[in-house]
Amino acid sequence: MEQFNEEYAKLLLSKEWMVKIDTSKATPYLLKFYSSSADLSCFVLMTDTKSVWTEVLNSKQLARRWRECNPTSPQPFNKSEDEDAWREETLELLSKAHTIGGIADFSFETVETKYSDIAFELECENFKWRWETCFLGYQRSSEIISKHLIFPLISVNHMTFSSKDAVSGLSDADIEKAVDKVGRTARRTIDTHIKNALSKPRLATTIRRMAATFNFISDLPPVTSSAEEPDLRIKQIQREEIFTPEKTIPVKRSISPKYTSERITQEREAGTATPNIQPESATESDDDQAMKNRGESRLASAGPSRQRDDSRKSRSLSPAPSVKPKSKAQVEPSSDAESSPHRPVKKVKKIVTSSESGSPERKPSPGAGGVKRGGGTRQPIKRGGKRF
Protein backbone atom coordinates (compact mmCIF):
# COMPACT_ATOMS: atom_id res chain seq x y z
CA MET A 1 0.00 0.00 0.00
CA GLU A 2 1.29 3.43 -0.95
CA GLN A 3 2.12 5.92 1.79
CA PHE A 4 0.17 9.13 2.32
CA ASN A 5 2.55 12.05 1.73
CA GLU A 6 2.40 15.84 1.78
CA GLU A 7 1.47 16.02 -1.89
CA TYR A 8 -1.71 14.09 -1.25
CA ALA A 9 -2.49 16.32 1.73
CA LYS A 10 -2.27 19.41 -0.48
CA LEU A 11 -4.65 17.85 -3.03
CA LEU A 12 -7.22 17.36 -0.27
CA LEU A 13 -7.24 21.07 0.63
CA SER A 14 -9.66 21.74 -2.26
CA LYS A 15 -12.04 18.98 -1.16
CA GLU A 16 -15.03 19.36 1.15
CA TRP A 17 -15.52 17.66 4.49
CA MET A 18 -18.16 14.89 4.66
CA VAL A 19 -19.62 13.61 7.91
CA LYS A 20 -20.69 10.09 8.82
CA ILE A 21 -21.68 8.69 12.22
CA ASP A 22 -20.91 5.27 13.59
CA THR A 23 -24.23 4.48 15.25
CA SER A 24 -22.85 1.54 17.21
CA LYS A 25 -20.28 3.75 18.97
CA ALA A 26 -22.02 7.14 18.58
CA THR A 27 -18.81 8.61 17.11
CA PRO A 28 -18.81 11.16 14.27
CA TYR A 29 -16.15 10.90 11.55
CA LEU A 30 -15.11 13.53 9.03
CA LEU A 31 -14.07 12.32 5.56
CA LYS A 32 -12.21 13.75 2.58
CA PHE A 33 -11.85 11.95 -0.74
CA TYR A 34 -9.75 12.54 -3.86
CA SER A 35 -9.55 10.63 -7.17
CA SER A 36 -7.32 11.02 -10.21
CA SER A 37 -8.54 10.04 -13.70
CA ALA A 38 -4.98 10.21 -15.05
CA ASP A 39 -3.63 7.13 -13.23
CA LEU A 40 -7.01 5.83 -11.94
CA SER A 41 -5.96 6.17 -8.28
CA CYS A 42 -7.81 7.45 -5.25
CA PHE A 43 -7.26 8.04 -1.51
CA VAL A 44 -9.31 8.95 1.53
CA LEU A 45 -8.69 10.82 4.81
CA MET A 46 -10.80 10.23 7.91
CA THR A 47 -10.63 11.89 11.33
CA ASP A 48 -12.55 12.03 14.59
CA THR A 49 -10.99 15.51 15.27
CA LYS A 50 -8.31 13.77 17.40
CA SER A 51 -6.56 11.30 15.08
CA VAL A 52 -6.22 10.93 11.32
CA TRP A 53 -6.37 7.73 9.25
CA THR A 54 -5.66 7.49 5.51
CA GLU A 55 -5.48 4.98 2.65
CA VAL A 56 -4.13 5.30 -0.91
CA LEU A 57 -5.21 2.89 -3.70
CA ASN A 58 -3.75 2.56 -7.18
CA SER A 59 -5.60 1.21 -10.24
CA LYS A 60 -4.99 -2.50 -9.56
CA GLN A 61 -5.87 -2.24 -5.87
CA LEU A 62 -9.04 -0.33 -6.73
CA ALA A 63 -10.23 -3.06 -9.13
CA ARG A 64 -9.37 -5.87 -6.69
CA ARG A 65 -11.16 -4.15 -3.76
CA TRP A 66 -14.28 -3.52 -5.85
CA ARG A 67 -14.55 -7.14 -6.96
CA GLU A 68 -14.10 -8.31 -3.33
CA CYS A 69 -16.87 -6.04 -2.05
CA ASN A 70 -19.19 -6.75 -5.01
CA PRO A 71 -18.97 -10.40 -6.10
CA THR A 72 -21.41 -9.84 -9.02
CA SER A 73 -18.89 -7.58 -10.77
CA PRO A 74 -17.34 -8.86 -14.03
CA GLN A 75 -14.06 -10.73 -13.91
CA PRO A 76 -10.87 -9.14 -15.29
CA PHE A 77 -11.08 -8.49 -19.01
CA ASN A 78 -8.68 -10.07 -21.48
CA LYS A 79 -8.01 -6.77 -23.24
CA SER A 80 -6.30 -4.03 -21.29
CA GLU A 81 -8.42 -1.35 -22.99
CA ASP A 82 -11.62 -2.95 -21.75
CA GLU A 83 -10.16 -3.34 -18.26
CA ASP A 84 -9.08 0.30 -18.11
CA ALA A 85 -12.49 1.48 -19.31
CA TRP A 86 -14.21 -0.57 -16.63
CA ARG A 87 -11.86 0.76 -13.93
CA GLU A 88 -12.49 4.34 -15.06
CA GLU A 89 -16.26 3.87 -14.77
CA THR A 90 -15.86 2.32 -11.34
CA LEU A 91 -13.69 5.20 -10.12
CA GLU A 92 -16.21 7.75 -11.39
CA LEU A 93 -19.02 5.99 -9.58
CA LEU A 94 -16.93 5.91 -6.39
CA SER A 95 -16.17 9.61 -6.72
CA LYS A 96 -19.86 10.44 -6.95
CA ALA A 97 -20.51 8.42 -3.83
CA HIS A 98 -17.89 10.45 -1.88
CA THR A 99 -19.68 13.78 -2.15
CA ILE A 100 -21.91 15.67 0.26
CA GLY A 101 -25.02 14.71 -1.67
CA GLY A 102 -24.02 11.14 -2.47
CA ILE A 103 -22.67 9.97 0.88
CA ALA A 104 -25.91 10.78 2.64
CA ASP A 105 -27.53 7.71 1.01
CA PHE A 106 -24.81 5.36 2.32
CA SER A 107 -24.71 3.54 5.61
CA PHE A 108 -21.52 3.81 7.63
CA GLU A 109 -20.10 1.11 9.89
CA THR A 110 -16.67 0.33 11.34
CA VAL A 111 -15.68 -3.32 10.99
CA GLU A 112 -12.93 -5.54 12.35
CA THR A 113 -9.82 -5.93 10.26
CA LYS A 114 -6.42 -7.67 10.30
CA TYR A 115 -4.74 -5.47 7.72
CA SER A 116 -5.17 -1.89 9.01
CA ASP A 117 -5.79 0.25 12.09
CA ILE A 118 -9.42 1.00 11.39
CA ALA A 119 -11.75 -0.20 8.60
CA PHE A 120 -15.22 1.03 7.68
CA GLU A 121 -17.79 0.08 5.09
CA LEU A 122 -20.08 2.27 2.98
CA GLU A 123 -23.12 0.50 1.60
CA CYS A 124 -26.14 1.50 -0.49
CA GLU A 125 -28.74 -0.42 -2.54
CA ASN A 126 -26.50 -0.77 -5.62
CA PHE A 127 -23.01 -1.51 -4.28
CA LYS A 128 -20.75 -1.70 -1.21
CA TRP A 129 -17.29 -0.28 -0.55
CA ARG A 130 -14.68 -0.77 2.22
CA TRP A 131 -11.73 1.39 3.30
CA GLU A 132 -8.71 -0.04 5.19
CA THR A 133 -7.12 3.04 6.77
CA CYS A 134 -3.90 3.41 8.78
CA PHE A 135 -3.05 5.88 11.56
CA LEU A 136 -0.72 8.73 10.52
CA GLY A 137 0.66 9.49 13.98
CA TYR A 138 -0.21 12.21 16.45
CA GLN A 139 2.14 14.87 15.09
CA ARG A 140 0.96 14.62 11.48
CA SER A 141 -2.63 14.27 12.64
CA SER A 142 -2.46 17.55 14.56
CA GLU A 143 -0.88 19.32 11.60
CA ILE A 144 -3.57 18.12 9.18
CA ILE A 145 -6.44 18.92 11.56
CA SER A 146 -5.02 22.38 12.20
CA LYS A 147 -4.54 23.18 8.52
CA HIS A 148 -7.70 21.58 7.14
CA LEU A 149 -10.18 22.31 9.94
CA ILE A 150 -9.19 24.63 12.81
CA PHE A 151 -7.73 27.59 10.93
CA PRO A 152 -10.54 27.65 8.32
CA LEU A 153 -13.18 27.56 11.06
CA ILE A 154 -11.56 30.46 12.94
CA SER A 155 -11.46 32.53 9.76
CA VAL A 156 -15.08 31.75 8.87
CA ASN A 157 -16.22 32.70 12.36
CA HIS A 158 -14.27 35.94 12.12
CA MET A 159 -15.95 36.71 8.79
CA THR A 160 -19.38 35.86 10.18
CA PHE A 161 -19.09 38.04 13.27
CA SER A 162 -17.45 40.97 11.48
CA SER A 163 -19.93 41.04 8.57
CA LYS A 164 -22.57 43.76 8.66
CA ASP A 165 -25.14 41.56 6.90
CA ALA A 166 -26.25 38.15 8.03
CA VAL A 167 -24.43 35.38 6.20
CA SER A 168 -27.60 33.38 5.82
CA GLY A 169 -29.12 36.18 3.74
CA LEU A 170 -26.18 36.53 1.33
CA SER A 171 -25.96 34.85 -2.03
CA ASP A 172 -23.35 32.27 -2.86
CA ALA A 173 -21.41 34.75 -4.99
CA ASP A 174 -21.35 37.32 -2.17
CA ILE A 175 -20.15 34.72 0.29
CA GLU A 176 -17.38 33.69 -2.12
CA LYS A 177 -16.22 37.29 -2.39
CA ALA A 178 -16.24 37.73 1.37
CA VAL A 179 -14.34 34.47 1.93
CA ASP A 180 -11.73 35.36 -0.72
CA LYS A 181 -11.19 38.75 0.85
CA VAL A 182 -10.71 37.37 4.35
CA GLY A 183 -8.52 34.50 3.09
CA ARG A 184 -6.15 36.73 1.12
CA THR A 185 -5.71 39.01 4.11
CA ALA A 186 -5.21 36.11 6.53
CA ARG A 187 -2.56 34.23 4.54
CA ARG A 188 -0.22 37.23 4.54
CA THR A 189 0.18 37.26 8.33
CA ILE A 190 -1.50 34.26 9.91
CA ASP A 191 -0.49 35.20 13.45
CA THR A 192 -2.00 38.68 13.20
CA HIS A 193 -5.15 37.27 11.61
CA ILE A 194 -5.69 34.73 14.40
CA LYS A 195 -5.10 37.44 16.98
CA ASN A 196 -7.62 39.82 15.40
CA ALA A 197 -10.16 37.02 14.95
CA LEU A 198 -10.15 35.69 18.50
CA SER A 199 -9.59 39.02 20.28
CA LYS A 200 -13.09 40.20 19.39
CA PRO A 201 -15.03 40.14 22.68
CA ARG A 202 -18.26 38.85 21.12
CA LEU A 203 -16.56 36.00 19.23
CA ALA A 204 -14.32 35.00 22.15
CA THR A 205 -17.16 34.98 24.68
CA THR A 206 -19.44 33.12 22.26
CA ILE A 207 -16.89 30.35 21.83
CA ARG A 208 -16.43 30.28 25.60
CA ARG A 209 -20.16 29.88 26.22
CA MET A 210 -20.45 27.21 23.54
CA ALA A 211 -17.56 25.21 25.08
CA ALA A 212 -19.12 25.49 28.55
CA THR A 213 -22.55 24.41 27.28
CA PHE A 214 -21.15 21.55 25.26
CA ASN A 215 -19.25 20.15 28.28
CA PHE A 216 -22.12 20.41 30.82
CA ILE A 217 -20.84 23.39 32.82
CA SER A 218 -23.59 24.50 35.21
CA ASP A 219 -22.51 28.14 35.59
CA LEU A 220 -22.52 29.41 31.98
CA PRO A 221 -20.44 32.53 31.26
CA PRO A 222 -22.19 35.45 29.54
CA VAL A 223 -21.64 36.75 26.02
CA THR A 224 -20.37 40.34 25.99
CA SER A 225 -19.64 42.80 23.19
CA SER A 226 -17.11 44.90 25.09
CA ALA A 227 -14.20 44.17 27.35
CA GLU A 228 -13.45 46.25 30.42
CA GLU A 229 -9.92 47.39 31.01
CA PRO A 230 -8.77 46.33 34.48
CA ASP A 231 -6.66 48.46 36.81
CA LEU A 232 -3.11 47.06 36.55
CA ARG A 233 -1.42 49.50 38.95
CA ILE A 234 0.49 48.00 41.84
CA LYS A 235 -1.00 48.83 45.22
CA GLN A 236 1.35 50.83 47.45
CA ILE A 237 1.55 49.42 50.98
CA GLN A 238 1.74 51.98 53.81
CA ARG A 239 4.65 51.93 56.22
CA GLU A 240 2.36 51.37 59.20
CA GLU A 241 0.91 48.25 57.66
CA ILE A 242 4.28 46.58 57.21
CA PHE A 243 4.80 43.98 59.91
CA THR A 244 8.20 44.14 61.59
CA PRO A 245 9.10 41.21 63.83
CA GLU A 246 10.26 42.04 67.37
CA LYS A 247 13.93 41.62 68.12
CA THR A 248 14.63 38.86 70.61
CA ILE A 249 17.16 39.76 73.31
CA PRO A 250 19.45 36.84 74.19
CA VAL A 251 19.25 35.78 77.83
CA LYS A 252 22.56 35.82 79.68
CA ARG A 253 23.06 32.85 81.96
CA SER A 254 24.76 33.49 85.30
CA ILE A 255 27.55 31.17 86.41
CA SER A 256 27.84 30.33 90.08
CA PRO A 257 31.13 31.37 91.78
CA LYS A 258 31.49 27.87 93.21
CA TYR A 259 31.56 26.33 89.76
CA THR A 260 34.08 28.94 88.53
CA SER A 261 36.50 28.41 91.43
CA GLU A 262 36.33 24.62 91.09
CA ARG A 263 37.00 24.86 87.34
CA ILE A 264 40.05 27.11 87.86
CA THR A 265 41.45 24.75 90.55
CA GLN A 266 41.09 21.73 88.24
CA GLU A 267 42.83 23.56 85.41
CA ARG A 268 45.75 24.52 87.65
CA GLU A 269 46.15 20.97 88.95
CA ALA A 270 46.05 19.62 85.40
CA GLY A 271 48.73 22.14 84.34
CA THR A 272 51.10 21.27 87.21
CA ALA A 273 50.65 17.53 86.72
CA THR A 274 51.68 17.66 83.09
CA PRO A 275 55.37 16.70 82.83
CA ASN A 276 57.65 18.91 80.84
CA ILE A 277 59.58 16.76 78.41
CA GLN A 278 62.92 18.24 77.40
CA PRO A 279 64.50 17.39 74.10
CA GLU A 280 67.88 15.70 74.21
CA SER A 281 70.74 18.14 73.97
CA ALA A 282 73.69 17.80 71.65
CA THR A 283 76.11 17.49 74.65
CA GLU A 284 74.21 14.79 76.47
CA SER A 285 77.11 12.34 76.29
CA ASP A 286 79.48 14.91 77.80
CA ASP A 287 77.11 15.57 80.70
CA ASP A 288 76.81 11.87 81.42
CA GLN A 289 80.62 11.47 81.52
CA ALA A 290 81.03 14.45 83.81
CA MET A 291 78.33 13.30 86.16
CA LYS A 292 79.89 9.81 86.21
CA ASN A 293 83.19 11.37 87.34
CA ARG A 294 81.32 13.33 89.99
CA GLY A 295 79.64 10.20 91.30
CA GLU A 296 77.22 7.57 90.11
CA SER A 297 75.20 7.92 93.27
CA ARG A 298 73.72 11.27 92.20
CA LEU A 299 72.48 9.88 88.89
CA ALA A 300 70.57 7.09 90.66
CA SER A 301 68.30 9.62 92.41
CA ALA A 302 67.57 11.59 89.22
CA GLY A 303 66.39 8.52 87.24
CA PRO A 304 67.75 8.30 83.69
CA SER A 305 65.24 8.19 80.78
CA ARG A 306 64.38 5.11 78.74
CA GLN A 307 65.92 6.46 75.59
CA ARG A 308 69.23 7.18 77.37
CA ASP A 309 69.38 3.59 78.67
CA ASP A 310 68.67 2.17 75.19
CA SER A 311 71.43 4.32 73.66
CA ARG A 312 73.92 3.25 76.34
CA LYS A 313 73.04 -0.40 75.81
CA SER A 314 73.64 -0.10 72.08
CA ARG A 315 77.01 1.64 72.69
CA SER A 316 78.14 -1.07 75.11
CA LEU A 317 77.45 -3.85 72.58
CA SER A 318 79.41 -2.16 69.75
CA PRO A 319 82.94 -0.61 69.78
CA ALA A 320 82.82 3.09 70.41
CA PRO A 321 83.67 5.24 67.43
CA SER A 322 86.32 7.87 67.56
CA VAL A 323 85.12 11.22 68.88
CA LYS A 324 86.37 14.45 67.41
CA PRO A 325 87.50 17.00 69.98
CA LYS A 326 85.09 19.80 70.72
CA SER A 327 86.27 23.29 71.33
CA LYS A 328 83.54 24.17 73.76
CA ALA A 329 81.03 22.17 75.76
CA GLN A 330 77.47 23.42 75.48
CA VAL A 331 74.95 22.78 78.17
CA GLU A 332 71.29 23.66 77.67
CA PRO A 333 69.57 24.99 80.76
CA SER A 334 66.31 23.50 81.88
CA SER A 335 63.24 25.07 80.26
CA ASP A 336 61.00 24.49 83.24
CA ALA A 337 62.73 25.43 86.48
CA GLU A 338 59.61 25.05 88.57
CA SER A 339 58.63 21.51 87.56
CA SER A 340 62.13 19.82 87.86
CA PRO A 341 65.03 20.30 90.33
CA HIS A 342 68.14 22.24 89.36
CA ARG A 343 70.90 20.22 87.81
CA PRO A 344 74.21 20.63 89.74
CA VAL A 345 76.85 22.82 88.15
CA LYS A 346 79.46 20.79 86.39
CA LYS A 347 83.04 21.26 87.66
CA VAL A 348 85.60 20.93 84.96
CA LYS A 349 88.66 18.95 86.04
CA LYS A 350 92.01 20.32 85.26
CA ILE A 351 93.61 18.24 82.59
CA VAL A 352 97.36 17.72 83.07
CA THR A 353 99.27 17.70 79.84
CA SER A 354 102.16 15.37 79.14
CA SER A 355 104.71 18.17 79.31
CA GLU A 356 103.75 19.11 82.87
CA SER A 357 103.62 15.58 84.26
CA GLY A 358 106.82 14.49 82.54
CA SER A 359 105.44 11.03 81.94
CA PRO A 360 105.17 9.48 78.49
CA GLU A 361 101.81 9.45 76.68
CA ARG A 362 99.60 6.48 77.25
CA LYS A 363 97.82 5.09 74.26
CA PRO A 364 94.26 4.03 74.94
CA SER A 365 93.40 0.44 74.53
CA PRO A 366 91.62 -0.39 71.27
CA GLY A 367 88.77 -2.06 73.11
CA ALA A 368 87.87 1.07 75.07
CA GLY A 369 88.01 3.30 72.01
CA GLY A 370 90.81 5.72 71.33
CA VAL A 371 90.69 9.46 71.26
CA LYS A 372 92.66 11.43 68.72
CA ARG A 373 95.14 13.88 70.18
CA GLY A 374 94.43 17.46 69.32
CA GLY A 375 96.18 20.72 69.73
CA GLY A 376 93.78 22.01 72.45
CA THR A 377 92.55 20.64 75.70
CA ARG A 378 91.94 16.90 75.94
CA GLN A 379 88.36 15.70 76.25
CA PRO A 380 87.44 12.89 78.60
CA ILE A 381 87.43 9.45 77.06
CA LYS A 382 83.95 8.31 76.09
CA ARG A 383 83.35 4.82 77.38
CA GLY A 384 80.44 2.50 77.35
CA GLY A 385 77.75 3.45 79.83
CA LYS A 386 76.83 1.31 82.79
CA ARG A 387 73.39 0.71 84.02
CA PHE A 388 72.67 1.57 87.62
Side-chain angles (χ1 to χ4, degrees), residues 4 11 67 87 126 157 163 217 291 296 309 355 382:
F4 185 85
L11 293 174
R67 289 187 173 99
R87 292 178 182 179
N126 300 322
N157 288 334
S163 178
I217 302 300
M291 294 180 72
E296 288 107 357
D309 295 340
S355 58
K382 187 175 182 180

Side-chain angles (χ1 to χ4, degrees), residues 48-115:
D48 59 349
T49 67
K50 301 174 184 177
S51 305
V52 175
W53 299 270
T54 60
E55 185 185 18
V56 181
L57 296 177
N58 55 26
S59 179
K60 292 182 179 180
Q61 293 171 344
L62 173 66
R64 188 186 307 114
R65 180 76 58 82
W66 183 272
R67 289 187 173 99
E68 289 177 359
C69 294
N70 304 280
T72 59
S73 299
Q75 296 299 319
F77 295 90
N78 296 328
K79 294 181 180 181
S80 60
E81 293 83 2
D82 298 339
E83 182 68 21
D84 292 341
W86 176 82
R87 292 178 182 179
E88 187 175 353
E89 292 178 1
T90 303
L91 180 61
E92 185 178 356
L93 182 61
L94 199 60
S95 300
K96 291 179 180 179
H98 288 80
T99 57
I100 296 176
I103 205 168
D105 299 333
F106 284 82
S107 63
F108 180 89
E109 183 182 3
T110 57
V111 295
E112 295 182 359
T113 178
K114 298 180 180 178
Y115 310 103

Side-chain angles (χ1 to χ4, degrees), residues 107-135:
S107 63
F108 180 89
E109 183 182 3
T110 57
V111 295
E112 295 182 359
T113 178
K114 298 180 180 178
Y115 310 103
S116 61
D117 295 328
I118 183 171
F120 61 93
E121 290 182 351
L122 298 172
E123 187 176 1
C124 67
E125 297 178 357
N126 300 322
F127 63 91
K128 184 172 66 172
W129 180 254
R130 186 178 73 254
W131 287 106
E132 301 276 354
T133 58
C134 295
F135 180 52

Side-chain angles (χ1 to χ4, degrees), residues 95-204:
S95 300
K96 291 179 180 179
H98 288 80
T99 57
I100 296 176
I103 205 168
D105 299 333
F106 284 82
S107 63
F108 180 89
E109 183 182 3
T110 57
V111 295
E112 295 182 359
T113 178
K114 298 180 180 178
Y115 310 103
S116 61
D117 295 328
I118 183 171
F120 61 93
E121 290 182 351
L122 298 172
E123 187 176 1
C124 67
E125 297 178 357
N126 300 322
F127 63 91
K128 184 172 66 172
W129 180 254
R130 186 178 73 254
W131 287 106
E132 301 276 354
T133 58
C134 295
F135 180 52
L136 286 183
Y138 292 104
Q139 183 176 0
R140 292 197 62 192
S141 298
S142 61
E143 293 175 357
I144 290 175
I145 293 172
S146 176
K147 187 180 292 185
H148 289 252
L149 188 62
I150 295 178
F151 279 179
L153 282 177
I154 293 175
S155 301
V156 169
N157 288 334
H158 172 63
M159 180 194 70
T160 304
F161 278 82
S162 61
S163 178
K164 296 180 180 179
D165 301 328
V167 178
S168 59
L170 297 176
S171 62
D172 296 342
D174 294 339
I175 293 176
E176 288 179 1
K177 292 179 181 179
V179 169
D180 295 344
K181 182 180 179 181
V182 173
R184 291 190 185 99
T185 306
R187 67 187 181 186
R188 295 173 185 172
T189 53
I190 297 177
D191 52 347
T192 306
H193 169 68
I194 298 300
K195 175 187 175 184
N196 295 334
L198 293 179
S199 61
K200 300 289 184 181
R202 179 172 291 184
L203 176 59

Side-chain angles (χ1 to χ4, degrees), residues 197-247:
L198 293 179
S199 61
K200 300 289 184 181
R202 179 172 291 184
L203 176 59
T205 54
T206 301
I207 295 175
R208 176 185 65 178
R209 188 175 182 89
M210 179 59 70
T213 306
F214 192 76
N215 292 279
F216 304 99
I217 302 300
S218 58
D219 188 9
L220 298 177
V223 176
T224 57
S225 301
S226 60
E228 298 180 359
E229 295 183 1
D231 186 9
L232 302 178
R233 292 177 297 178
I234 301 175
K235 183 180 178 181
Q236 300 293 334
I237 302 175
Q238 300 296 332
R239 291 285 182 178
E240 294 78 11
E241 298 178 3
I242 299 175
F243 175 75
T244 54
E246 298 180 358
K247 296 182 178 179

